[in-house]
Amino acid sequence: MRKFLTALIVIPLALILMTFAVANRHDVTVSFDPFMANDPALSRTMPLFLLLILVAALGVIAGGCAVWFGQRRWRRAARRHEADARAARGELAGLRAQAAVAKPEPQRLPVPSGMGLYGPAGRDKQRATL
């Protein structure tokens, strides 16, 4: 099912990107020099579709980095809680081991001789043999 849904999304997206690339294959000049518009020192000529795909990819990377840095606090808290839980598990195991060693054997009361559990002949109140 997962592969089907992936194919259902990826195949149309790939077709749209190919159509976009074929329709926008003319070259554009990208200038990184804001002071000299006529003769830019930092410029690059590339197809328009490549420029837009690169800008989209850079946006995805920048967004991913922003989210990753934004979640730093939660990752730190998760590591701290995991360390606390690990320490608590170790302490619990130690306490259980101490309790098992210190636990006395339960004492058994001696059975009265000559008498059964319910009377002298081992019978209950209705005189049934046990």
Side-chain angles (χ1 to χ4, degrees):
M1 184 68 174
R2 187 177 198 185
K3 288 183 180 183
F4 174 73
L5 291 176
T6 301
L8 189 67
I9 293 171
V10 169
I11 291 174
L13 186 62
L15 289 173
I16 290 170
L17 282 175
M18 284 191 294
T19 305
F20 177 77
V22 170
N24 295 295
R25 59 181 182 256
H26 57 280
D27 289 340
V28 293
T29 301
V30 179
S31 173
F32 296 103
D33 189 1
F35 301 112
M36 304 219 22
N38 296 336
D39 187 28
L42 299 171
S43 66
R44 176 80 182 170
T45 301
M46 63 180 66
L48 178 61
F49 73 90
L50 183 62
L51 174 68
L52 292 176
I53 290 173
L54 287 175
V55 168
L58 286 174
V60 168
I61 291 170
C65 289
V67 167
W68 189 75
F69 284 120
Q71 292 177 347
R72 178 181 57 223
R73 175 180 61 199
W74 304 113
R75 287 192 308 275
R76 186 181 316 137
R79 281 192 304 269
R80 187 176 62 244
H81 292 313
E82 180 63 31
D84 290 345
R86 205 174 306 119
R89 282 189 212 110
E91 185 178 343
L92 177 63
L95 290 173
R96 283 184 177 166
Q98 286 177 357
V101 169
K103 188 175 182 182
E105 188 68 28
Q107 295 181 351
R108 298 182 180 257
L109 298 175
V111 177
S113 61
M115 296 189 60
L117 293 175
Y118 293 103
R123 296 179 183 268
D124 65 0
K125 292 180 183 178
Q126 285 81 24
R127 310 281 300 150
T129 305
L130 298 175

